[in-house]
Structure formats: structure tokens, C-alpha cells
Amino acid sequence: MADSVRWLRIDFDKCIKAGECYYNHPELFRRTDSGYPALRIRRAATPAQFREAQEAMEVCPSRAISYEDDSTD
Amino acid sequence: MPATAATVSRPIDPREFDAVDFQRDPFPLYRRLRDDHPVFHDRFHNRWILSRYQDIEAAFQDSQSFDRAVYDPNGPYEFGRRHIFGPNILEYGNSPQHRWMRNVVAGQFVGERLDAFLPIIDRIAREVIATFERDCEVELVSQFSSQFPIRVISNMLGLPREDEAMFVGWYQALIAGLGFGGEHLARGLVARNEMWDYIDPLIEQRRRSPGDDLLSRITIAELDGKRLETKEIKGFVALLLAAGGDTTDKAIANMWYHMIYTRPDVFPQVLADPELWGNVFTEMMRYDAVVHAQFRQTTREIPLHGEVIPRGAGVILYLGAGNRDERVFRDPDVFDIHRDDLHMGRENRSGKYKDGKPGHLGFGMGPHFCMGYAMARQEASIACGHLAHAMKNARPKFAAHEGITSPSIDSGGFRSPRELWIEFDVR
Ligand code: HEM
Ligand code: SF4
């Protein structure tokens, strides 16, 4: 699956602004003034990015982060 | 301490920070700082001071500009004496090392991992209470709060129960060394070395056959294929005693002080609805935060409120002052567990909440936000619930109380009552 692309998503209804994503994974997420995260990149494409995305999903206390496989794109 | 009437603005003499008055009641000086000197250059101690909520929040968040690095002992101002813990996470500023170390251990204190420890917390609270529950009176600080969190940590670490009292002794010496310096510092260092010698073989043993205790978990935790070194584990254990033990200890005492002395009128509501201990905790963390000061060093020039803080300057963030900022909290000097301008639930590292309300600054914010925030809240709520249940009709033993105070605000600056005598009816 190394050449597949995964779209990162944040569910802002679920997000509680805990900040774990952007403090732990600044490569993927950015803190905005409102406390909500913003995506730095929309797609995880490298193994390093996959790993970061996976870890971000795990540290998010409200399970607001997901990524979708999209190998047909 | 009740607020004094608005003071007439006058220049601040830096020696006021060393005065007993300030240690007893820093709030009038905090107000003068906020109102007239939002960026105060204390030339006498060679440091800068921020005191408004917004400025402190911004500094916590902008850790690139306000670094929490190890302070150069040859530098302009020697902050604290934290080295007593040995190598630990507090010594790493913005380094990737900090992020790594934090991530190895932080997960142990939240979520399911924390839930797994709740029965231990519950049991220890009841055990310590059992030592005085038939006495009709208790000095809460020595008999409960200085015993409870440290025993919790010792148990979480999985240390032999028969050594718990020894651990409590080391803890007290370490904390005294942190707060008073001098001869106490020397004793603190001795205690720390004894503790390290004691813990060394335990770490080795965990390496060989890890169990499910916290010491095993931090010994074998791996991130990016790396584990903590022995000296880092020992540094972390020492830090846990102070960062996780002493703070929570004092938080519980502050909560009870307010319930029985300043707000006996709302205490019955809390007794009737123990969920409200969460609100007592939150408002305590705002109104009488245990930790009042955090130290940072600037990595660039900071222009702010018409002043310029130079690069490489030592900065004190008085979160105890920010928590009383009238620009953010209405009637900031009133202890109100029902206030609607404070986020009452669990804290967020980002300091932002969906209810749009500001949070307290008592755990810091951002990259260095307290790692034990969820655990401290749980410990305090569980302990207070059991205490309230065991001590029927809890009331002050003495009508007068000197209030919440600090031995020395610059040497750790933890604030709490020295003693808290409570009378009660045996259940
Ligand atoms: C009511 C109790 C507590 C208070 C008032 C408190 C306060 C604080 C504050 C203000 C900071 C920020 C330091 C900074 O910005 O430089 C902090 C950090 C920290 N706290 Fe707590 N704390 C409490 C309980 C705990 C507990 C129970 C633990 C144990 C797990 C703990 C572990 C830590 C650690 C390891 C850090 C450093 C985090 C880092 O540098 O990334 N604290 N705490
Ligand atoms: S970690 Fe989750 S809840 Fe926290 S800010 Fe990121 S997405 Fe939101």
C-alpha cells in the first residue's frame, strides 16, 4: 500500500480542541487561534506521514481524526 | 486571602517580591503588576515579569520564543533549584528530546491507563482516612494530604508496600530541599541519592521481568525504537514525587481550606452533590493555584505593551496573577464554584474549549502543559469525596486561620495552608 494516498480528516463536531494532534504532530497539524487544529497537508503519502497520522489518531482523546484510503485517486 | 481595597498605584520596588507580605498575600502586588506594569523589568533580580492572562497564555503557547530550557548557572539569574531531581523532562526546553520523553510517559496518566489505577487511588484514600476517622479531629496536611498522593505514586510504581513509609520520608526531604534551600537542599540531595540507590535494582529487575506497574511501563516503554535510560527513569521518578505528589497534596488542602473557611455557605451543596468537587477543584486551580510561577527564557526580542524584553532574558510567568485577571474573570477575587466565566470541566492542553470559556492557568498550557492533569483531578475528587463522607459535620477546629501561604514563592512557589485542623463527628 506504500503508493496509496490517504486523505486526512478532522471531524470538528467531535474535536474538543485538546490539542494533542498539533503538539505531538506539528508536521501534520497546525494550531489555529481558536484552538482547533488545521491540516498542514491534506494527504499522507510517505511512510513517515502514515505513521504520524496513525499516531495522531491514537492520541486524539475524542477520536476526531481519521484517514481514508484512496488508492484509486 | 480576601482582596484588599484597590491600592493606589505606586512604582514597584523589586524587594517587595522578597517580602513576607508577598509570600503571604501576593494578590495586591499582582494587581499592581497587571494594571500598571504588564511587562515589569525587575532589575534587582534581573528578570522580567508577565502577569496578565492573555500575555501568559501567549507565552505558554509560543514556546519557540519563550523557551523552558535548563538555565545557565552562570547566567544572569539562577532559577529555582530543580537540578535536585536529576535529569528529567523539566530540563528539556523545546528539544525533540522533550517531545519524545513526554510521549513515552504521558499516556500512562490519562484515559484507560489512568482508569486502571483508579481502584488503587480509591483504596489508598480509604486507608489513610482509616488512620484518623475515629479521632473526631485531624490535621489534614500532615495526616492526610501529605500522605495520600505520595502513597498513590509509590503504589502505582509498584514499590513494595512495606517501604512506603520510607518513600514518604524521602519525598518530604526532597520537597523541603526544593522549597527552602541551604541545609534543606543538602538533606534533599541525600534523600534523592538514597532513593536512587534503592530504586536502581528495582529498575534492573523490571527490565528482566516487567509487570504491569508504572515503573515497569516506563522502563520498557519504547518510542521510535528507543527506551528511557536508567538515569532518566530515576530522574522521572524523582520528578513524579514533586510534580505529581506535592502539587496534588497541596491542591487537596487548598480545596478544604476554602470549603470550611471561606465558603462554608456553599460547602453543604458540595456535600449534597459530590460531583461538585470537580468545580471546587477547578475554581481552586484558578483562585488559589498551587503553582504560581513558571520560568522561561526568551529566544528573541519580545516587544510587548510598549516595552522590549531582550533576547536571552529570564521571564517569570505569574499564572497566579493571570488567574485573577479582571480582564478575563468577573469578580476575580471571589471564590465561586458556580462561576459561568470559567471552563469547569477537564482541562485541555490547548487552553481552548468548545463552551468558549477561558480555562484556569494552574496547569500551564501548550507544549509543557501538566502531564498529570487528569490524574490530579481524579485524585483530588476521589480523596475529597471519601473525606467528606468519613468526616461528618466537618468544621474548622480553630476560628482563625492564617490562610494559604507560601514558604518562598521563587523557590518553587507552591502555595497552601501550613496546617489545617478539622473537627468532625465520627460516622
Ligand atoms: C493539582 C496538581 C498539579 C498541579 C497544580 C500541577 C501543575 C503543573 C504546571 C503548572 C506545570 C507546567 C510547567 C511548565 O509550564 O513549565 C506542570 C507540568 C508537569 N506536571 Fe503537573 N501539576 C499537578 C499534578 C501533576 C501530577 C499528578 C503529575 C503526575 C503525573 C504531574 C506531572 C507533571 C509533569 C511531568 C509536568 C511536565 C510536563 C512537560 O514538561 O511536558 N503533575 N504541572
Ligand atoms: S487531538 Fe483531537 S480533539 Fe484534540 S485538537 Fe486534535 S483533533 Fe481535536
Side-chain angles (χ1 to χ4, degrees):
Chain A
M1 296 261 288
D3 47 5
S4 72
V5 171
R6 293 176 192 179
W7 296 90
L8 283 162
R9 294 208 199 292
I10 300 168
D11 182 337
F12 288 101
D13 288 333
K14 286 189 186 161
C15 172
I16 55 163
K17 309 188 184 188
E20 296 299 331
C21 54
Y22 45 82
Y23 294 120
N24 289 303
H25 302 285
E27 298 81 2
L28 304 188
F29 304 90
R30 183 168 61 77
R31 178 181 195 273
T32 65
D33 285 344
S34 64
Y36 279 115
L39 291 173
R40 275 192 206 280
I41 57 170
R42 302 210 30 239
R43 320 178 309 169
T46 68
Q49 288 171 343
F50 284 154
R51 204 186 57 229
E52 296 264 354
Q54 183 63 40
E55 280 174 19
M57 284 169 55
E58 286 165 14
V59 298
C60 173
S62 62
R63 301 191 180 282
I65 300 170
S66 57
Y67 59 29
E68 280 166 30
D69 266 323
D70 193 359
S71 26
T72 54
D73 187 67
Chain B
M1 290 270 108
T4 47
T7 36
V8 183
S9 164
R10 62 191 152 94
I12 290 173
D13 178 341
R15 280 165 299 189
E16 289 180 57
F17 293 104
D18 303 326
V20 174
D21 275 354
F22 181 67
Q23 281 151 26
R24 233 180 251 138
D25 180 12
F27 298 103
L29 185 51
Y30 286 165
R31 178 186 293 257
R32 285 162 58 208
L33 284 166
R34 284 192 309 263
D35 285 350
D36 304 326
H37 309 275
V39 175
F40 181 67
H41 184 191
D42 172 350
R43 290 169 211 273
F44 185 72
H45 300 94
N46 193 11
R47 60 192 178 185
W48 297 70
I49 293 175
L50 300 183
S51 51
R52 288 191 187 167
Y53 185 99
Q54 305 291 355
D55 298 335
I56 293 169
E57 177 182 21
F60 272 135
Q61 292 296 352
D62 184 4
S63 64
Q64 293 302 321
S65 308
F66 293 87
D67 192 1
R68 190 190 64 186
V70 194
Y71 299 100
D72 179 1
N74 304 315
Y77 175 73
E78 196 189 339
F79 288 102
R81 273 174 284 264
R82 298 194 183 280
H83 320 289
I84 193 166
F85 302 138
N88 70 76
I89 188 169
L90 289 180
E91 290 187 273
Y92 299 105
N94 291 325
S95 55
Q97 177 74 1
H98 171 263
R99 191 142 63 100
W100 179 81
M101 215 179 200
R102 182 165 172 126
N103 288 345
V104 177
V105 285
Q108 305 298 337
F109 303 100
V110 289
E112 285 169 19
R113 294 291 170 88
L114 173 60
D115 290 348
F117 284 122
L118 292 184
I120 296 186
I121 296 177
D122 196 86
R123 173 169 55 78
I124 310 268
R126 283 184 285 114
E127 279 175 11
V128 182
I129 292 170
T131 62
F132 60 78
E133 69 188 345
R134 314 214 64 80
D135 295 351
C136 301
E137 64 170 36
V138 63
E139 198 286 285
L140 197 77
V141 176
S142 57
Q143 291 182 259
F144 185 78
S145 61
S146 66
Q147 301 278 329
F148 165 67
I150 190 64
R151 285 178 193 269
V152 168
I153 289 172
S154 154
N155 269 263
M156 283 175 82
L157 285 167
L159 305 186
R161 293 224 65 186
E162 60 273 21
D163 298 339
E164 218 169 281
M166 200 160 70
F167 208 60
V168 173
W170 286 328
Y171 160 73
Q172 279 157 357
L174 258 162
I175 299 303
L178 193 67
F180 299 93
E183 149 208 355
H184 294 282
L185 176 64
R187 275 205 292 142
L189 287 169
V190 171
R192 184 201 65 189
N193 293 342
E194 278 176 19
M195 187 179 78
W196 279 3
D197 288 345
Y198 168 82
I199 222 157
D200 244 332
L202 297 179
I203 295 173
E204 274 318 307
Q205 187 265 329
R206 299 304 198 271
R207 252 191 206 118
R208 286 193 307 272
S209 54
D212 199 35
D213 53 73
L214 183 60
L215 190 59
S216 300
R217 290 183 187 183
I218 50 187
T219 303
I220 60 168
E222 240 175 63
L223 198 65
D224 304 333
K226 261 194 327 170
R227 292 181 178 184
L228 291 177
E229 291 172 28
T230 303
K231 67 176 194 308
E232 291 171 328
I233 297 173
K234 292 197 287 191
F236 187 73
V237 170
L239 171 68
L240 266 186
L241 303 188
D246 197 32
T247 49
T248 312
D249 157 355
K250 296 192 150 74
I252 293 169
N254 288 3
M255 289 162 79
W256 277 86
Y257 168 76
H258 280 295
M259 286 299 97
I260 63 174
Y261 275 103
T262 71
R263 296 312 302 260
D265 55 328
V266 300
F267 191 29
Q269 295 172 19
V270 179
L271 294 176
D273 178 7
E275 292 280 304
L276 285 175
W277 281 114
N279 290 40
V280 178
F281 179 82
T282 313
E283 177 65 344
M284 176 278 300
M285 290 293 282
R286 184 195 71 83
Y287 183 97
D288 258 321
V290 177
V291 180
H292 269 223
Q294 287 299 322
F295 308 103
R296 295 294 191 266
Q297 203 158 33
T298 53
T299 58
R300 63 173 175 91
E301 281 190 355
I302 315 278
L304 188 63
H305 302 301
E307 306 267 349
V308 179
I309 308 177
R311 178 166 185 270
V315 179
I316 295 190
L317 309 178
Y318 270 133
L319 45 96
N323 272 330
R324 299 277 191 110
D325 192 341
E326 40 292 277
R327 290 155 198 81
V328 175
F329 301 110
R330 204 174 343 100
D331 298 327
D333 296 327
V334 175
F335 188 94
D336 176 6
I337 66 165
H338 298 297
R339 56 171 61 244
D340 60 10
D341 55 359
L342 172 68
H343 172 76
M344 280 289 169
R346 256 178 61 169
E347 293 77 5
N348 271 352
R349 204 170 159 188
S350 66
K352 297 289 181 196
Y353 301 95
K354 287 202 124 168
D355 59 15
K357 297 175 187 177
H360 65 77
L361 298 170
F363 283 133
M365 278 180 189
H368 297 291
F369 176 65
C370 178
M371 234 162 69
Y373 71 106
M375 181 167 142
R377 176 176 285 274
Q378 285 283 9
E379 278 187 279
S381 302
I382 291 173
C384 290
H386 283 309
L387 283 167
H389 178 76
M391 304 191 295
K392 211 170 131 196
N393 275 326
R395 57 201 178 263
K397 182 177 177 191
F398 302 108
H401 193 287
E402 65 168 348
I404 288 176
T405 169
S406 149
S408 161
I409 204 152
D410 277 341
S411 52
F414 289 3
R415 287 177 53 84
S416 68
R418 252 186 282 247
E419 286 192 344
L420 194 60
W421 282 97
I422 301 177
E423 266 178 9
F424 58 90
D425 303 337
V426 173
R427 172 87 43 188

